[in-house]
Amino acid sequence: MIPRSFEYHAPTALPEVIALLGQYGDEAKLLAGGHSLLPMMKLRFAGPGHLIDLRKVAELKGISVVGSELHIGAMTTENELIFSKLVAEKLPLLVEVARQIADPQVRYKGTIGGDISHGDPGNDHPAVMMAMDATFVLVSATGERLVKATEFFHGMYDTALTPGEVMTQIRIPVPPAGTGSSYAKLKRKTGDYATAAAAVVVQVQNGVCSAARIALTNVGPTALFATDAAASLVGKPIDDAAIVQAAKLAMAICEPVADLRGDEAYKTAMAGQMVERALRSAVSHVK
Amino acid sequence: MDQNVENHGRLEKLEGIGCSRKRREDPRFIQGKGNYVDDIKLPGMLFAVMVRSPYAHAKIKSIDTSKAKAYPGVHAVLTADDLKPLKLHWMPTLAGDVQAVLADGYVSFQNQEVAFVVADDRYVAADAAELVEVDYEELPAVVDPFKALLPDAPVIRPDLDGKSVGAHGARKHHNHIFNWQIGDKDKTDRAFTDAEVTVKQDMHYPRVHPCPLETCGSLASYDAIRGDLTVWITSQAPHVVRTVVGLLSSIPESKIRIISPDIGGGFGNKVGVYPGYVCSIVASIVLGRPVKWIESRSENLTTTAFARDYWMTGELAADRNGKIKALRVNVTADHGAFDACADPTKWPAGMFHVCTGSYDIPNAHVSVDGVYTNKFPGGVAYRCSFRVTEAVYLVERMIDVLAQKLNIDKAEIRKRNFIKYEQFPYLTPLGLEFDSGNYLPALEKVLEAVDYTALRAEQAQKRADPNCPTLMGIGITTFTEIVGAGPSKSCDILGIGMFDSCEIRVHPDGSAIARMGTISQGQGHQTTYAQIIASESGIAASQIAVEEGDTSTAPYGLGTYGSRSTPVAGAAVARASRKIREKARKIAAHLLEVAPDDLEFDLDQFKVKGDPSKAKTMKEIAWAAYNNVPEGMEMGLEAVDYYDPPNFTFPFGAYLCVVDVNKKTGETKVRRFYALDDCGTRINPMIIEGQIHGGLTEGFAVAMGQELPYDEQGNVLGGTLMDYFLPTSVETPHWETDFTVTPSPHHPIGAKGVAESPHVGSIPCFSSAMVDAFAHLGTTHFNMPYNSYRVWQHAQSLGL
Ligand SMILES: Cc1cc2nc3c(=O)[nH]c(=O)nc-3n(C[C@H](O)[C@H](O)[C@H](O)COP(=O)(O)OP(=O)(O)OC[C@H]3O[C@@H](n4cnc5c(N)ncnc54)[C@H](O)[C@@H]3O)c2cc1C
C-alpha cells in the first residue's frame, strides 16, 4: 500500500495549474481530496509522476448564489456542503447525498469536483448532478467551456474532461417552489459505495407532477439518466401505481456489473427499489 | 456502623473481585500512547515486504531477484533457495503439518509468500518488490473441499506425495488431511434407526477472518556479538513462539527473547507463527541489523489465519415430544493449503465435541474430515475456543430444525432437553465433563425480560398480514461453551501442556509486581488480574503492576486465546496470591507473637482472633518480610504458580434476538438483542459488559456480513475493508445484557471466562432469527452471512 514515487506541486493560482498541466501532460494528475486517486496510487493501479495539488487554489473554493443558480467551487469538500447554510436552504438534495458518501474522514477531504471528475459510476454525485441538471465549468489553456452533467459522463473513468482541463465550478439551478427531491442509496455499511442508488427531483403542482428527473448510481458504466422513468410521471399524480411504473422503467435501463454487492438481477431490482424509495421521500419533501 | 463504613472504605480501596474498576490500559490507548510492534524503532532498522503469488496454484519456474537486489537501498532478497541451507524454507505448523516459509517450487494459494525484500525503509522495499521477477506456470486451482476430494482433483501438496499417513492418522486421498471421529457410532446409528423422528440439515459456516485492527508484524534484532535474538511480535502466545523459534534456529531459548508489546486485538489471528516472522528473524541474523515486517490490511485478510470454513451436516434423532435421543455430525473442514490450525495437538477438530451443547443427549457421534484446498491456511479460533463456534452453531441450529419439524416452540424444546442442574458435573456422550450449569432459569429470565409471548403474538399478526412490508424473526440460543484449555492430559501444543502461570513479587513497601504467561490484546488483564491478587492477598489493586508478554521476565505460559486467561492463568494468579497470603500469615504471627492459626485474614490485614485491635496490615508484613521473618524462613515475599487445570470451564448463556427483514430489499434490522451470560464468578462487571458488547458485535459481523469468498480460479475476493464487513457504531445494534452466576466448582475463584461466549452464542442466535423470519414459508436453514443480497435471494426463492 505504498505508491510509486512522484513529484508534488502545490500551485496557488489557476493559471499555474494550467501551466503545470501543460508542462507535464500525461505524466501529471490533479490532486483534490485524494480519496479516489490516492487509493489507486497505493494499489499501484495508477502511478503519476507528478501530482498537482489543487488545495491552495483560491479560485476553486466558495459557494455563492448567482442569479438563479448556485455556484460551487470544485474544491468544496463534502463536509463543507453538509454544513453550508446556503446549500441546505437552496439545494437540500446536495446535503442529503453528501451525508451518504463514505465516512467522516473521507468527507473532510473528498471534494465535489473530484467526485464528479473521477468518472466512477459508483460515486454518488454524478447521478445527483444529472437529476439537478447541473453544469460544469471546465477551464484549460484555451479558455472556459460549460458542459451539462447529462453530457459529461462517457464511460467508466471516462468523462468530457480533456487533458489539460480543470473543473473549476459546478453550477446548479435553484429549483422553483413545488419541488421535492431525494437520494435513496442502498449500501452494505458505512463507507460503502452504493449497491444501487437513485436521485430524484420532482415538481408537483396541484397534486400533479409537472416535471421529473431521475438518475441512477452504480448500475451502469456511468450514472444513468432515466428519461423514460421520469417522463412516465409527468402529468399524473405521483401515486403508488405511478411510482411502481417509474421504477420498472428505470430498471429497464440498468446494466450493472456483478460483484460482491450482488448480481445483475439484484442490483437491477435494488435500483427499482431505490427509485421507489426516493420518489416517496421526494413527494413528501415537496415545498 | 463506623466499623462497617471503615471496612467498606478498605474494600473500595482494595478494588478486588466484583468491583467495576476502570481499565488501567485505557489512559494510554485513548491518548494514542500505546506501544505496538510498528511503534518500535531501533537504530539501523531495516524494513521488509513480501513478494506474493498472484496465482492460487502454480509451478514456479524461476525467480530472478537481480533487479531488485540492484535497486538502491535494498539489502537482501530472500527466496526459498536462500532459506534451504538453514533448513528454514519449510516450518512446522501447530497442527502437525509443515508450511512453506517461502514458496519452494510451487505456490498453493493466492498471495502465498514467495520472496522477502529487505531495504532501508518500507518505500524502497515496496518499489524493489515490484522488481522481483517470478516466472509462474499456472495450474488448475481447487477452492471447493468437495471437489478437492474428487479422484482427479489437482494435487495441492506435491511435497506430501505418497504419504498415506498424516499427523492425525490415515489420509484417504492426496488432498485429504485427516479423519477424526469421536463417540459411539454403533449406538448412535441404532438410536437413529429406532427413532420416532429424525431431522437432517446441511450448513456451511463460511470462511471468515478475525481481522484485528492491528495487522500482524514482527521486528527481529539479532545481536551477533552476544548471540542474542530479540523479537517484538504480534503474538498471543510469546512463549510458544520462543520455543518454535528455538526449534527452528537451534538458538537456545535462553538466548531468545520474544516480546509481545501492546497488541491491537488478536481474536485468534495472532496465535500462529507466520512466514513473515520467520523471514524477519532470518534476515536479521543474516544482515546483523534489526528487520521489521508489518502486514498490510489486505495481506492480513488474505494470508494470515482465517477461521471456520466448515461444511457441516447435522442429524438429530428424537421422540415425538422432542426429547433428543442422538446427534450425528459429519464435517468437511476446509483447511486451505497447509494445515495450520491452532488446536491442541491431539484434537485436529479442536473441541468440536462440545457439540452436544446444553442438552442431555444420550448418544452422539462426530466425524470430521480435514481437506486441503488452494486457499490460505488457518482455521483458527476466532474469538472462541478451538472450533467451539462451529460446534455450538451446529447444535443450536439442529435443535431449531427439530423444533420446526415437530411444531414445538423453540424455547419449549430447549427446556425439554436441558441438562438439569442436579446432573452436574455432567459427562457428555463425547467424553467431556461439564463442570456446572443452570440452564433453565437463565432461559426463563430472558423469555420474561423480553415478553416472549407478546413477541410471538406480534409475529403471528405480521405473518397474517400480506401487506406487511417486513418479516419478523425471533432467534433463541441456549449455548454452552468450553474454554480454558486445558488440562495437560488432553491438551498440549508442540508437546507442551496447556498450563499457565503467575509470579508475584511483593516489594518492601507493600506494592507488588505480577507477571503471567498470558498476554492481553484488549481483555484488560492489567486491570482484572490485579483485582484477583487484591482479593486473595490483600494488596490494593492500585499497588500492583501487572506485566505480560516478555518471555525474559514472565513465567512460561501458553498465552491468551480460547478464553483461557481467566480459567487457567487466573487460577494461577489466585493460587500464587494465596501462597503470598500464607507466608504473610506466618510473618504476621511472628510479629504479633501468636500462632498462625490464631490469625484471621481480613481484607488487607491479619487480625488476632478475638482481639481485633491486634493486627498487621499487608504493608507492614511486606516490610517485615525484608528484615524480620521467623527463624528458618526465607526472606522476601514472592510466589510462583504453574496451574494445570483439572478440567475445562463451561460458561453458558441464553440469548434472544428479534429481526425485521425488508421483503423487497433484504435489508435486516436487528430490533432487539438480549444476552444473558453466566461466566461463574464475575471479576469485573464493567469489563465483562465491555467484552460482551465486543463479542456480540463481532458475532453480528460474522452472521450478517463477514465472508472471504473465492472465485473458481482461486482468487480471494473481498480482501479489503471495503468488502469485508467490520461494523461501525452506525450498523451495530443496541445490546441488552443480563447475567446469572453459577461458579465453576473446580476453579480457585469459580470464574469461567466470558469474552468469547457472546461471539459463540450470538452467531447461531442471528441465524435462528433469520430462519425464523422465513420459517412459516418452510425455511429450516439458510447460510450466513445474511447480507441484504443473500437475504433477498432467499426471499426471491420463496416467491416473495
Ligand atoms: C473508503 C472510501 C469510501 C468512499 N465511498 C464513497 C461513496 O460512498 N460515494 C462517493 O461518491 N464516493 C466515495 N468515495 C470516493 C470519495 O468521495 C472521493 O473523495 C471522491 O470520489 C474523489 O474526490 P477527491 O476530492 O478525493 O478527488 P481525488 O481523489 O483527489 O481525485 C479524483 C480524480 O479526479 C481528478 N480531479 C480532481 N479534482 C479535479 C478537478 N477540479 N478538475 C479535474 N480533475 C479533477 C483527479 O485528477 C483524479 O483523477 C469513497 C472513498 C473512500 C476512500
Side-chain angles (χ1 to χ4, degrees), chain A residues 1-5 44 186 188-193 259-263 265-266 269-270 273-274 277, chain B residues 122-123 126-127 130 296 662 664-665 667 709 717-718 721-726 728 730-731 788-789 792-793:
Chain A
M1 289 298 279
I2 289 175
R4 297 199 185 95
S5 61
R44 299 194 171 210
L186 183 74
R188 296 170 298 180
K189 57 175 180 179
T190 303
D192 195 17
Y193 292 92
D259 61 18
L260 292 180
R261 292 185 182 86
D263 61 8
Y266 179 62
M270 291 309 104
Q273 287 298 313
M274 292 305 111
R277 203 175 268 183
Chain B
R122 58 186 91 202
Y123 305 95
D127 288 343
E130 271 196 330
S296 72
N662 183 319
K664 289 279 187 300
T665 62
E667 290 163 288
L717 310 173
L721 292 186
M722 182 59 81
D723 287 313
Y724 196 73
F725 180 48
L726 222 53
T728 69
V730 177
E731 291 80 28
S788 315
Y789 174 35
W792 177 84
Q793 283 180 314

Side-chain angles (χ1 to χ4, degrees), chain A residues 88-133:
Chain A
E89 187 196 321
K90 305 284 183 194
L91 297 171
L93 179 58
L94 207 48
V95 178
E96 194 182 344
V97 65
R99 280 185 177 285
Q100 295 182 65
I101 289 176
D103 51 45
Q105 287 97 319
V106 173
R107 297 197 291 259
Y108 278 123
K109 280 297 202 179
T111 65
I112 181 170
D115 196 281
I116 296 166
S117 303
H118 194 48
D120 184 340
N123 278 1
D124 293 305
H125 279 301
V128 172
M129 293 298 123
M130 288 176 170
M132 293 198 301
D133 198 14

Side-chain angles (χ1 to χ4, degrees), chain A residues 29-39 54 60 74-75 78 100-103 106 109-115 117-118 122-125 161 165-168 185 191-194, chain B residues 722:
Chain A
K29 267 276 180 196
L30 297 174
L31 174 68
H35 275 288
S36 288
L37 181 57
L38 296 185
L54 300 176
L60 303 182
M75 283 298 286
E78 306 298 348
Q100 295 182 65
I101 289 176
D103 51 45
V106 173
K109 280 297 202 179
T111 65
I112 181 170
D115 196 281
S117 303
H118 194 48
N123 278 1
D124 293 305
H125 279 301
L161 277 166
E165 234 171 2
V166 183
M167 181 181 293
T168 56
K185 175 176 177 179
D192 195 17
Y193 292 92
Chain B
M722 182 59 81

Side-chain angles (χ1 to χ4, degrees), chain A residues 3-286:
Chain A
R4 297 199 185 95
S5 61
F6 55 83
E7 220 169 290
Y8 173 82
H9 308 268
T12 53
L14 192 56
E16 272 183 76
V17 175
I18 308 278
L20 285 164
L21 278 176
Q23 188 178 345
Y24 295 112
D26 279 358
E27 278 277 276
K29 267 276 180 196
L30 297 174
L31 174 68
H35 275 288
S36 288
L37 181 57
L38 296 185
M40 295 185 96
M41 289 170 61
K42 287 181 170 191
L43 292 166
R44 299 194 171 210
F45 295 156
H50 295 267
L51 276 190
I52 305 168
D53 194 342
L54 300 176
R55 187 164 55 99
K56 294 184 175 162
V57 183
E59 295 99 309
L60 303 182
K61 282 289 212 182
I63 305 172
S64 56
V65 180
V66 178
S68 62
E69 286 181 335
L70 206 64
H71 288 193
I72 301 169
M75 283 298 286
T76 305
T77 65
E78 306 298 348
N79 205 49
E80 287 163 348
L81 292 176
I82 290 170
F83 289 100
S84 158
K85 288 214 174 80
L86 202 53
V87 175
E89 187 196 321
K90 305 284 183 194
L91 297 171
L93 179 58
L94 207 48
V95 178
E96 194 182 344
V97 65
R99 280 185 177 285
Q100 295 182 65
I101 289 176
D103 51 45
Q105 287 97 319
V106 173
R107 297 197 291 259
Y108 278 123
K109 280 297 202 179
T111 65
I112 181 170
D115 196 281
I116 296 166
S117 303
H118 194 48
D120 184 340
N123 278 1
D124 293 305
H125 279 301
V128 172
M129 293 298 123
M130 288 176 170
M132 293 198 301
D133 198 14
T135 300
F136 309 136
V137 182
L138 312 183
V139 175
S140 68
T142 56
E144 178 183 296
R145 62 185 184 121
L146 302 181
V147 178
K148 285 255 178 203
T150 44
E151 311 287 317
F152 183 77
F153 302 100
H154 295 171
M156 181 105 89
Y157 306 125
D158 182 8
T159 67
L161 277 166
T162 53
E165 234 171 2
V166 183
M167 181 181 293
T168 56
Q169 205 175 60
I170 292 97
R171 296 181 179 170
I172 304 174
V174 175
T179 302
S181 61
S182 182
Y183 190 65
K185 175 176 177 179
L186 183 74
K187 54 180 172 178
R188 296 170 298 180
K189 57 175 180 179
T190 303
D192 195 17
Y193 292 92
T195 301
V200 158
V201 179
V202 290
Q203 279 171 45
V204 180
Q205 266 151 14
N206 305 322
V208 172
C209 176
S210 56
R213 294 174 74 89
I214 300 177
L216 310 173
T217 298
N218 223 8
V219 282
T222 67
L224 301 178
F225 192 49
T227 37
D228 290 353
S232 77
L233 293 166
V234 178
K236 299 185 286 200
I238 305 181
D239 56 16
D240 273 353
I243 287 174
V244 171
Q245 171 65 10
K248 275 213 182 96
L249 289 168
M251 284 163 67
I253 64 165
C254 292
E255 33 177 340
V257 180
D259 61 18
L260 292 180
R261 292 185 182 86
D263 61 8
E264 291 85 347
Y266 179 62
K267 289 184 170 189
T268 304
M270 291 309 104
Q273 287 298 313
M274 292 305 111
V275 169
E276 288 191 24
R277 203 175 268 183
L279 276 172
R280 285 182 220 285
S281 155
V283 169
S284 76
H285 288 163
V286 170

